Amino acid sequence: KPRAERQRLPVVPQGIERDAFLQALAELKEELGAENLEINDKPLTDGWYMEHPNTHDMMTILHEEELVASAVVYPGSTEEVQQIVAWANKHKIPIFPISMGRNLGYGGAAPRVRGSVTIDLGKRMNKILDINPEDFTCLVEPGVSFYALYEAIQAKGYDHMWIDSPDLGGGSVIGNTVDRGVGYTPYGDHWACHAGLEVVLPTGEVIRTGMGALPGNNTWQTFPYGFGPYSDGIFSQSNFGIVTKMGMTLMPNPGGYESFMYTFPNEEDLAPLMEIIRPLRISNILENVAQLRHVSQSIAARGLPRTTFYTGAGPVPSSVLHAAASSSPVGDHTWAYYGMAYGPAHIRSHKLALVNSEFRKIPGARKIDPSTLPPDEYFWSRDRVAAGIPDIQELRWVNWTPNGAHVAFSPVSPIRGTDATALFKLGKARHEQYGIDFWPAFCVGLREMHLIVEIVFDRHDPERKEAALACLRDMVDDAARLGYGEYRTHLVLMDQIAGTYSWGDGAIMRFNERIKDALDPNGILAPGRCGIWPRRYRGRGWEM
Ligand code: FAD
């Protein structure tokens, strides 16, 4: 039968009999209401970004049945999240929270353990609980997307406040932040900009962090630390709690902004450019997480399939890339730098003049005049995102292959020419080995940069999926040998990457496991996420 018509048996998590499991689900359905629990027995449909599944990863790199949920539940309140956690403890059933499940490139909505019950927090818990126009803060539930927050602020006429959005605005403010995602205004480090959490612990208790622990406080969103150990950190990139509320700081409207774009001719310009960018970025002359992108990805950002330019096997040759780019602003150059200056014109002009004189030190550097660029040019998507206006144009490069899907390799390094060159070479060699197009984009933070390499593959082509995964695994190991680690990763690579953070004979993982066992004695919450396995699962072959 065609895939769409095939009936599926619900997946049962390991360690529980099918009948006992179905009975436990019936019990939870009774508690939450029939409409708030769905068994995953329907065909797996991938949908698209706006109508994505919550049962699996719509961009899976494994076989589609590998990481799937057995059921999805929709709590409507913190109390209902507590009820679900109590139920999971009673039956020892793994649960996996998502806010909106648009974690594309990192596992989408999929749980790490097959057959987990997914808690889709965002469907019903989607309120903006507060927007404070004096403190420049807000308090949100998991289902609040960047678009929703932006639109609510606009609707209230609060022109004096900006949000910060990742490249795609359809994700959850909480989901993105707890996974330590990034955006492109000066408030782009979302985790650094959050203030205060409400968390349901794996045993069902609720805590409020920072000032939220003080009854009657009015500083939960303005002072993130409170008193005593700063506990928020253990709830990001972990499996130690379910975040049900989060405070976020908002950026003051800077009173004007101006995007700029430079291109640089040669691949070898990378190292001297990084030496120029570092002092400018650390001193905040370059004010946002700016991007230095290779021409290869700029071409793909137009949304055309690869076959428009090349039908041969292996990576698209450099000459073809340059021919394809000749009608774009990158032209015959190799690197494109996208940045933004903030503030009124007289302040911007001072900073832009400094940037200009520094960037011009690269022979052949070209400044692109934005007024020459058509409205659908990628530059304008960067312009919107860096001005805190949510967008989804970035999705276009996924069209590079049929059934386009992607996973990312994202190592962190200082902003140095030597580091950039080492990572570039490492990535390029492995992509050539596996016949994959290489799209390096250096995202420059404050004192570090993430090299983001997106591998786009046909998710219906097992051979290309295998090649993509093998390439990623090799790059992770190569990078670790040179002392580089990833800032975030896909579910499938979590064990491997956690393993590279091995100083002191794995001291940090032993510490994480001790916390896990103390907070989650039954090991029910997102087992294996970020490589942290509860005692019940350890040493039983779950790692991959
Ligand atoms: P979710 O999928 O809801 O959450 C992510 C993970 O965090 C979950 O799997 C879960 O393990 C955990 N989690 C979520 N909510 C909770 C909770 N309440 N309590 C405990 N744990 C929780 N990302 C960026 O950061 N920056 C970018 O610029 C960016 N660009 C992208 C461009 C493209 C083309 C694509 C396809 C993806 C991009 N992404 C980017 C990745 C991803 O789309 C975003 O990070 C997105 O915001 C994550 O999805 P989400 O917000 O729905 O989070």
Side-chain angles (χ1 to χ4, degrees):
K1 279 190 175 179
R3 186 174 169 231
E5 291 170 24
R6 255 180 269 149
Q7 190 61 33
R8 297 173 57 257
L9 272 181
V11 182
V12 177
Q14 278 199 21
I16 179 165
E17 296 290 331
R18 176 172 293 270
D19 286 350
F21 179 61
L22 294 177
Q23 207 174 323
L25 285 182
E27 189 186 297
L28 187 61
K29 199 169 191 166
E30 181 79 27
E31 278 187 54
L32 297 178
E35 66 286 13
N36 295 320
L37 187 150
E38 277 178 306
I39 295 183
N40 181 21
D41 56 1
K42 311 193 186 47
L44 296 176
T45 313
D46 290 340
W48 72 292
Y49 184 73
M50 297 311 286
E51 287 172 32
H52 64 288
N54 56 10
T55 46
H56 65 285
D57 183 1
M58 65 178 274
M59 294 187 170
T60 184
I61 192 160
L62 300 178
H63 185 278
E64 61 180 12
E65 285 284 349
E66 286 269 356
L67 301 182
V68 290
S70 52
V72 184
V73 288
Y74 303 105
S77 63
T78 301
E79 292 71 26
E80 286 191 357
V81 174
Q82 291 177 274
Q83 266 177 282
I84 296 165
V85 167
W87 169 86
N89 275 295
K90 179 176 163 199
H91 299 285
K92 300 209 173 37
I93 290 173
I95 48 177
F96 192 91
I98 57 170
S99 283
M100 294 183 81
R102 290 206 172 102
N103 209 13
L104 302 178
Y106 300 108
R112 173 61 179 82
V113 164
R114 183 168 191 268
S116 299
V117 172
T118 293
I119 309 177
D120 183 338
L121 296 150
K123 185 176 176 193
R124 294 172 66 212
M125 297 174 70
N126 54 15
K127 286 183 282 306
I128 299 173
L129 300 168
D130 186 38
I131 299 178
N132 189 316
E134 282 144 17
D135 297 337
F136 293 75
T137 59
C138 62
L139 182 68
V140 295
E141 289 189 329
V144 176
S145 69
F146 294 94
Y147 270 108
L149 184 58
Y150 174 79
E151 281 159 14
I153 288 173
Q154 297 300 303
K156 283 181 179 287
Y158 291 155
D159 289 342
H160 62 297
M161 293 192 301
W162 282 17
I163 70 152
D164 182 280
S165 175
D167 272 332
L168 300 180
S172 151
V173 178
I174 289 185
N176 180 278
T177 303
V178 298
D179 210 22
R180 298 206 292 265
V182 296
Y184 301 90
T185 75
Y187 278 41
D189 181 346
H190 293 161
W191 183 253
C193 290
H194 94 283
L197 301 175
E198 179 184 87
V199 187
V200 174
L201 299 178
T203 41
E205 299 100 320
V206 188
I207 60 166
R208 290 188 173 184
T209 66
M211 295 307 294
L214 195 145
N217 82 87
N218 57 3
T219 39
W220 195 15
Q221 273 64 70
T222 51
F223 183 62
Y225 306 122
F227 181 75
Y230 179 54
S231 31
D232 289 41
I234 65 166
F235 300 111
S236 74
Q237 288 194 4
S238 76
N239 48 12
F240 298 157
I242 303 175
V243 177
T244 43
K245 293 184 181 65
M246 185 185 76
M248 195 72 185
T249 52
L250 299 165
M251 178 173 147
N253 181 336
Y257 61 91
E258 190 172 340
S259 277
F260 59 90
M261 176 179 176
Y262 283 82
T263 64
F264 305 94
N266 306 307
E267 249 168 33
E268 301 70 41
D269 295 332
L270 178 63
L273 252 174
M274 285 303 166
E275 297 302 313
I276 289 173
I277 289 169
R278 186 182 57 250
L280 290 176
R281 182 68 189 97
I282 292 176
S283 55
N284 254 327
I285 300 300
L286 294 171
E287 295 164 273
N288 64 341
V289 176
Q291 294 211 8
L292 186 66
R293 284 199 175 204
H294 195 266
V295 59
S296 49
Q297 199 177 10
S298 304
I299 294 163
R302 291 162 150 189
L304 296 169
R306 180 185 199 271
T307 46
T308 317
F309 311 104
Y310 189 65
T311 50
V316 178
S318 175
S319 57
V320 177
L321 286 178
H322 284 295
S326 60
S327 59
S328 82
V330 186
D332 56 349
H333 279 192
T334 298
W335 296 105
Y337 185 97
Y338 298 91
M340 183 176 271
Y342 298 87
H346 65 284
I347 292 178
R348 293 200 306 266
S349 66
H350 180 60
K351 291 181 282 197
L352 288 169
L354 277 171
V355 171
N356 191 54
S357 68
E358 289 300 304
F359 279 9
R360 295 261 185 220
K361 288 179 181 165
I362 303 290
R366 204 158 48 207
K367 185 175 193 313
I368 306 298
D369 176 0
S371 70
T372 63
L373 301 176
D376 66 341
E377 174 55 48
Y378 176 68
F379 173 89
W380 295 114
S381 172
R382 293 247 59 81
D383 178 70
R384 285 188 289 279
V385 173
I389 303 167
D391 201 62
I392 54 167
Q393 189 169 330
E394 189 75 17
L395 259 182
R396 285 186 183 178
W397 48 249
V398 182
N399 295 338
W400 190 241
T401 64
N403 312 306
H406 75 104
V407 283
F409 167 62
S410 32
V412 181
S413 82
I415 315 166
R416 286 208 195 99
T418 45
D419 296 296
T421 307
L423 286 168
F424 180 83
K425 279 191 180 155
L426 168 172
K428 191 171 183 179
R430 289 296 185 186
H431 278 64
E432 272 166 13
Q433 178 187 342
Y434 289 101
I436 297 171
D437 291 313
F438 182 41
W439 294 356
F442 291 91
C443 294
V444 181
L446 193 59
R447 282 182 176 75
E448 55 71 46
M449 61 193 179
H450 303 7
L451 164 61
I452 308 282
V453 179
E454 298 289 0
I455 295 186
V456 175
F457 58 93
D458 179 343
R459 67 182 185 279
H460 293 169
D461 181 341
E463 189 268 327
R464 285 290 81 199
K465 281 168 38 165
E466 249 175 60
L469 188 52
C471 181
L472 279 161
R473 290 214 182 274
D474 282 348
M475 289 192 296
V476 169
D477 285 343
D478 292 346
R481 271 192 289 275
L482 297 175
Y484 302 112
E486 286 67 40
Y487 94 102
R488 179 181 180 191
T489 198
H490 191 283
L491 290 174
V492 171
L493 294 167
M494 284 177 173
D495 293 312
Q496 185 186 358
I497 288 175
T500 64
Y501 285 76
S502 61
W503 183 87
D505 198 20
I508 199 68
M509 185 50 79
R510 286 198 300 282
F511 175 73
N512 288 337
E513 286 174 349
R514 218 179 298 165
I515 298 177
K516 181 68 178 166
D517 292 342
L519 293 181
D520 186 5
N522 289 322
I524 46 105
L525 186 61
R529 178 158 154 72
C530 293
I532 306 165
W533 292 96
R535 184 175 286 133
R536 192 151 72 91
Y537 288 75
R538 282 203 289 275
R540 295 177 179 220
W542 282 92
E543 294 84 357
M544 54 183 173

